Amino acid sequence: MQISEEKVIDILNEKRRIDDILLSIGGKKKDKKKIRKILSKLESDGKIERIRIKKQDYYQLKDVQGSRWTIKRGFIYVLLIITIFTVIYYIQVFSQFKQIPACLYGCDLYFHYGIINHICNGNPPWTNPQFLGEYAHYPWITHLIVATISKVTSIDPLTVDIYFPLLIFMSGSIIAYLLGKRLFTDDKFAIMLCIGWMGSRPIAETHPHMLSAFVLIPLFLWGILYAIQTRSLGSRIIAGVMYGLTGIGHGIAVMSASLIIAFLFIYYTLLRHLHITFSSHEEKLKLSIDRNDKIVKSFKENVAFFVPILLVGIPIALLYWGFPIFVYHGHTPNPWHEYGFMELSKAGGEYALNFIMNTFFNFSALINGNIYSFIFYLFFMGGLYHVLTKKDENTRFILILTITATLSVLHFLVTVPLLNMSMVPHYFISMMMNPVKYLLFVSCVFMIYTKIKNQSYKDILLVLTYIFLFMGFVTTVNNYSESKWANVGKELPPTTKALFEMADWVKENTDKNAVFISNNECSFALNGLTGRKLVTMRRTHSSMYVDMNERQADAAVILYGNDTGMALKLLEKYNVSYLYWDFQWLFVAYHFNEKGEVVDISDPLMTSATKEHEEYFRKHGVNFRRMDTWVDPAHRGPKYKTYDMLIAFPSQLDPQQPWSEGLSEHLELAKEFKSDGLVVARISRIRY
C-alpha cells in the first residue's frame, strides 16, 4: 500500500503512536521507516506536534480545534444522539411494565429477583438465597449492585430490577466504544463497534448473564488489551480486577476469561515463535521455530506478565468460588447443567454442525430471505480474512479471540468422550462468539476503509455502515417490545396482584430467614417475590451443591405422607415456620384432562428411583409412581436426557388442601389473600 502524507494527516486528529498510525492506514512493519520520515517532515513544517508520554512519542495535528476536530466531534454527536434515542426508547418500554416481564413460576428473572430480595433483606450475598445454612450457588455481583442501588436510593427493588437494564446498556455501550478505540485507534470505528454492540441483543433483563455478556466480558477484553499494549504493572492490576469481576459475575464468564488468558499465554510464549513460509522453489510450506533460548526467555517474560493479573483476579473471584471449591469441594449432587441442556453425547454432533454452518457458512440466511443477516455474515467473513492475513498485534488479538471462542463452543466434542462432562455451549456463544462477530464485522469495514483512496467514498462507507447497524438495533428492540414476555410485563392480572400483596405481607410480618414449606413451583414463586427460605423448589434453579433428591423426598413425606410424627421431625430438621399455598399448587405440578385425572407431570415433588427412596416413601405413606422422565419442566423432548424418578402424588387431589389431614392439624392460618372473592394464596403457621 502507498503510504502518503495525506493519509498520515488524515488520522492525526488526535494523539497517536507510530504503531497506531501503521494500524490505522493498514500498513506493514516495513512501512514504519517511511511513516517516521513523513512525521519528521510534518513536524518540521509545523503541521504536527510530538508529545512525550511515559517514554512514548505521540503525534497530533496542531490545529486540533479546526475542521478535523469538528469532524471528530460530529461522529461523537452521532453516537450521543443514537444513545439518547435508545435510552428514551427503553424507558418508554420499561415504563409500561407493571411486573417483571417473565413467568412467576419457574422463570430465570424471578429466580434472580429472589436473590435480590435476599440481599435487600439484609443477608450477605455469599449466603444461599433459598436454603438456610447453605452458601450461594450463583455468582452474585449483579444482584448485589441492584440491591445496593435499591438501598441507597430507597427505590423499591422491583422498580430497580425493571430499569436496571438501562445501566447495563449504557455501561456496555461505553465499554464497547473504549474497546473499539483501543483496537482500531480511531473514533469512527470505535463508534461503529458501539452502535453494533447496542443492537447485538435486547437489553431488557436484569440477569447475571446479561451483565456479564454485555459488560463484564468486553470490560475484561479492554483490560487485558490495555495491559498487553502498555505492559505496565498498573495496567495488569486493572486487568486483574476485571478478570476477578467475571468470577463473581457468571460461571461461563470467568471460564471464558480464563480461556482467553490461557490462549494469549500460549500465543505469546510459543505460537508467536512459529513461522510458516511458502517455498516457491520447492513448492511446499515450511515450518520453522525460533531458537530455544528465545522461547525460554519469552516464557519467563509472559509468566511475569500474567502472574499479577492472576494474583489480583483470583482472590476477587474466590469471593464466590471459594465456597464451591473449599466448602463443597466441587461435589454437585444436583447437576442442573445436565438437566436443562440437550444430551450432547447424542445430539452434540448435530449441535456442532449447526454452529459451524450458522457461523462460518451462513448461506441459509440468503436462502431464507434474511438479507440483513447475510450481509452481516459477509462482513464477518471479510473481517476473518483480515485478521488471518494481517500481522499487527491488534488483529492478532482479535484472531486469538476468534479461535478461543470457536473452540470454547465446541469443547464438548473433546470433554464429553473423555470426561463425560461439558459446560453449556450456547453460553459460550453469547459470552465469546457474539463479541467476536462484531469485532470481525468492524475489522472488515476497517480493511475496506483503509483500501479506499477517495475520502468521499470513505465517508459514504461509514455512513452506510452506521445506518446498517442502527437498523439492526431498531429491529432488535422492536422485536423485544412486541414479544410475548414484554406483553406479560405490561399486564398485572388480579391474581398476580394478590400474590404481590402476599409478598409485601410476608416481608413485613415474617423473619428474613423464615423457612416455608410448599411444592416446587409455588416455593419458587414465593422465594422470587420475597427472598424467604425454602425446603425445596424447582430443581434446575436450586443449588447444584445441595442434595435435591433428599430435600424433595423429605418434602413429599411432609406434605403427602400419612406419618405425622415423621412429618413434624422433618419440619424441625429444616426449621420450617410456615406453609405456603397458592391456587396454582396442583396445576404447576401435574397436567389434568377434562375429567380431572392426572395425564402428565410438570414439576412435581420427585426423587431418584433408588431402593432406599422407594422404601422411604412406602414406610411413610407417600403415593408415588416410577417414571423415566425429564426433571426440568422447561426442557423436554428427544434431545434431553431422562432420569429414573419416583413421582410423589397427594393422597387427595384437592386444589384447596393437597396435603395430608395429619399435617392440617398442625397448621394455623396466618393470612389469606383474595382476588374477586377467590382465595389466591394462604400463609399458615406450623404448630409443633
Side-chain angles (χ1 to χ4, degrees):
M1 172 178 287
Q2 185 69 27
I3 306 296
S4 65
E5 186 175 304
E6 290 74 19
K7 285 186 177 179
V8 174
I9 291 176
D10 187 52
I11 62 171
L12 289 181
N13 55 308
E14 56 187 273
K15 295 190 295 290
R16 295 187 187 278
R17 301 171 303 162
I18 289 180
D19 287 342
D20 298 334
I21 298 169
L22 187 70
L23 176 65
S24 295
I25 63 178
K28 299 179 179 179
K29 286 186 178 180
K30 65 180 181 180
D31 296 320
K32 275 189 178 183
K33 187 175 181 180
K34 188 167 185 179
I35 291 174
R36 284 194 178 96
K37 286 183 178 180
I38 293 174
L39 292 173
S40 178
K41 181 178 181 299
L42 291 173
E43 187 178 5
S44 64
D45 291 343
K47 294 181 180 180
I48 66 172
E49 58 183 334
R50 179 167 42 174
I51 305 167
R52 189 76 168 170
I53 302 175
K54 294 182 178 179
K55 299 181 180 181
Q56 292 195 63
D57 287 331
Y58 290 80
Y59 298 87
Q60 182 178 22
L61 288 171
K62 281 188 175 181
D63 185 20
V64 294
Q65 300 303 321
S67 60
R68 294 184 184 280
W69 173 243
T70 302
I71 293 172
K72 175 185 174 183
R73 211 164 35 178
F75 285 120
I76 298 295
Y77 285 156
V78 168
L79 181 59
L80 285 174
I81 291 170
I82 291 174
T83 304
I84 292 170
F85 170 82
T86 305
V87 170
I88 292 172
Y89 193 96
Y90 271 125
I91 290 175
Q92 184 269 334
V93 173
F94 296 155
S95 64
Q96 300 178 58
F97 288 166
K98 298 175 182 178
Q99 61 166 317
I100 293 172
C103 177
L104 179 56
Y105 299 92
C107 183
D108 278 6
L109 299 190
Y110 272 105
F111 164 74
H112 292 293
Y113 183 53
I115 303 176
I116 292 166
N117 276 311
H118 167 76
I119 298 173
C120 283
N121 292 340
N123 293 297
W126 55 83
T127 56
N128 190 292
Q130 290 90 29
F131 302 137
L132 191 65
E134 302 289 347
Y135 293 101
H137 65 283
Y138 210 107
W140 38 257
I141 186 64
T142 306
H143 317 99
L144 180 61
I145 294 172
V146 175
T148 301
I149 293 173
S150 177
K151 285 288 187 181
V152 170
T153 62
S154 297
I155 300 174
D156 67 276
L158 181 62
T159 301
V160 178
D161 187 283
I162 289 173
Y163 284 94
F164 183 70
L166 279 175
L167 185 58
I168 296 177
F169 171 79
M170 289 186 288
S171 57
S173 300
I174 292 170
I175 293 163
Y177 171 82
L178 295 174
L179 177 61
K181 185 66 180 295
R182 188 151 289 280
L183 274 170
F184 302 104
T185 70
D186 194 316
D187 284 299
K188 297 185 286 292
F189 300 100
I191 291 169
M192 190 180 297
L193 181 63
C194 181
I195 297 172
W197 197 236
M198 287 179 182
S200 63
R201 69 189 77 211
I203 311 301
E205 299 177 350
T206 297
H207 194 297
H209 176 264
M210 187 65 67
L211 180 71
S212 297
F214 198 76
V215 177
L216 296 184
I217 288 295
L219 183 64
F220 168 74
L221 294 178
W222 179 89
I224 199 73
L225 182 61
Y226 175 54
I228 289 170
Q229 291 178 345
T230 63
R231 312 295 292 188
S232 67
L233 178 61
S235 65
R236 284 178 281 165
I237 291 173
I238 291 171
V241 171
M242 295 170 181
Y243 174 50
L245 289 176
T246 65
I248 53 178
H250 195 279
I252 300 298
V254 71
M255 291 179 190
S256 300
S258 301
L259 286 170
I260 291 168
I261 289 175
F263 275 81
L264 286 170
F265 180 80
I266 292 170
Y267 168 72
Y268 285 113
T269 302
L270 181 60
L271 298 182
R272 201 178 187 185
H273 299 284
L274 296 176
H275 308 286
I276 301 175
T277 56
F278 178 74
S279 173
S280 57
H281 176 68
E282 300 180 22
E283 295 185 350
K284 64 179 181 180
L285 292 174
K286 286 189 174 182
L287 177 66
S288 60
I289 188 169
D290 291 333
R291 299 191 316 269
N292 287 342
D293 59 336
K294 195 171 183 180
I295 296 175
V296 171
K297 181 183 177 183
S298 180
F299 174 80
K300 292 178 179 178
E301 288 175 350
N302 284 291
V303 167
F305 174 81
F306 284 106
V307 162
I309 297 174
L310 299 176
L311 288 179
V312 173
I314 290 174
I316 296 173
L318 285 176
L319 292 174
Y320 163 72
W321 289 97
F323 297 102
I325 294 171
F326 299 114
V327 176
Y328 295 116
H329 307 292
H331 179 56
T332 55
N334 182 42
W336 48 254
H337 58 285
E338 296 179 7
Y339 305 149
F341 195 72
M342 66 179 66
E343 193 174 1
L344 289 169
S345 60
K346 295 180 179 178
E350 179 185 353
Y351 184 92
L353 180 61
N354 287 337
F355 166 73
I356 293 170
M357 294 301 296
N358 291 333
T359 304
F360 300 105
F361 303 94
N362 192 17
F363 299 107
S364 61
L366 180 63
I367 296 171
N368 296 329
N370 192 338
I371 303 302
Y372 184 92
S373 294
F374 185 69
I375 293 173
F376 191 98
Y377 160 72
L378 293 178
F379 276 82
F380 166 81
M381 293 304 294
L384 184 59
Y385 167 80
H386 178 66
V387 300
L388 284 169
T389 55
K390 293 290 290 184
K391 294 183 179 180
D392 63 86
E393 291 303 317
N394 285 3
T395 52
R396 280 289 180 262
F397 182 80
I398 298 174
L399 178 59
I400 292 167
L401 293 183
T402 305
I403 294 170
T404 307
T406 304
L407 293 180
S408 66
V409 174
L410 299 175
H411 73 279
F412 60 87
L413 296 176
V414 175
T415 61
V416 169
L418 294 181
L419 305 174
N420 194 31
M421 63 170 291
S422 72
M423 299 297 103
V424 182
H426 67 252
Y427 280 158
F428 284 111
I429 293 177
S430 181
M431 295 284 181
M432 296 185 67
M433 204 67 215
N434 199 46
V436 162
K437 285 181 179 180
Y438 284 89
L439 289 174
L440 290 176
F441 179 95
V442 177
S443 294
C444 181
V445 180
F446 178 83
M447 174 184 66
I448 297 171
Y449 184 88
T450 57
K451 291 183 181 297
I452 296 175
K453 295 180 180 180
N454 187 295
Q455 186 59 47
S456 297
Y457 292 159
K458 287 185 174 185
D459 293 339
I460 291 172
L461 173 67
L462 292 176
V463 171
L464 290 178
T465 305
Y466 289 164
I467 292 172
F468 176 80
L469 291 173
F470 186 67
M471 287 171 54
F473 156 74
V474 171
T475 301
T476 298
V477 178
N478 277 339
N479 288 344
Y480 175 77
S481 64
E482 298 170 3
S483 68
K484 169 187 174 181
W485 294 118
N487 289 325
V488 168
K490 296 172 186 176
E491 302 293 334
L492 189 64
T495 51
T496 305
K497 184 179 179 181
L499 293 177
F500 274 86
E501 292 171 359
M502 174 276 300
D504 291 338
W505 185 90
V506 168
K507 289 179 181 179
E508 293 174 5
N509 293 277
T510 66
D511 183 78
K512 66 181 182 181
N513 287 318
V515 181
F516 288 71
I517 179 76
S518 190
N519 72 352
N520 288 334
E521 296 297 320
C522 293
S523 293
F524 180 100
L526 175 70
N527 176 259
L529 291 172
T530 67
R532 292 304 189 261
K533 306 304 169 285
L534 312 167
V535 174
T536 186
M537 65 176 286
R538 178 181 281 220
R539 190 179 293 254
T540 47
H541 283 94
S542 300
S543 173
M544 65 171 59
Y545 309 109
V546 170
D547 189 342
M548 290 306 297
N549 284 319
E550 178 185 357
R551 280 182 171 265
Q552 293 208 20
D554 288 346
V557 169
I558 293 170
L559 294 169
Y560 303 149
N562 61 11
D563 189 338
T564 305
M566 186 61 182
L568 291 174
K569 288 181 181 179
L570 291 172
L571 288 168
E572 286 187 289
K573 170 185 173 181
Y574 292 105
N575 198 27
V576 180
S577 300
Y578 300 92
L579 181 143
Y580 170 71
W581 169 91
D582 72 41
F583 71 112
Q584 294 283 15
W585 183 301
L586 288 181
F587 309 106
V588 291
Y590 313 99
H591 296 300
F592 297 87
N593 62 16
E594 295 177 353
K595 298 179 181 180
E597 300 168 332
V598 176
V599 293
D600 200 357
I601 62 170
S602 179
D603 189 21
L605 296 174
M606 57 177 139
T607 190
S608 56
T610 64
K611 182 179 179 181
E612 291 76 16
H613 286 145
E614 285 194 26
E615 292 176 353
Y616 186 52
F617 276 2
R618 287 194 177 96
K619 180 178 180 181
H620 302 294
V622 177
N623 294 329
F624 67 91
R625 297 179 195 168
R626 186 168 184 166
M627 294 178 63
D628 186 57
T629 186
W630 302 275
V631 296
D632 182 358
H635 295 93
R636 296 178 160 229
K639 293 183 180 180
Y640 300 95
K641 188 176 181 179
T642 58
Y643 297 83
D644 190 14
M645 306 296 289
L646 303 180
I647 313 301
F649 289 85
S651 57
Q652 52 187 13
L653 295 175
D654 182 351
Q656 295 295 317
Q657 185 192 308
W659 51 85
S660 66
E661 286 293 341
L663 181 61
S664 289
E665 296 174 2
H666 293 270
L667 300 180
E668 177 186 352
L669 181 65
K671 186 73 174 178
E672 65 180 14
F673 305 87
K674 296 182 179 181
S675 173
D676 297 329
L678 170 71
V679 178
V680 174
R682 191 181 298 125
I683 307 291
S684 301
R685 295 187 185 88
I686 305 291
R687 292 188 291 106
Y688 288 95

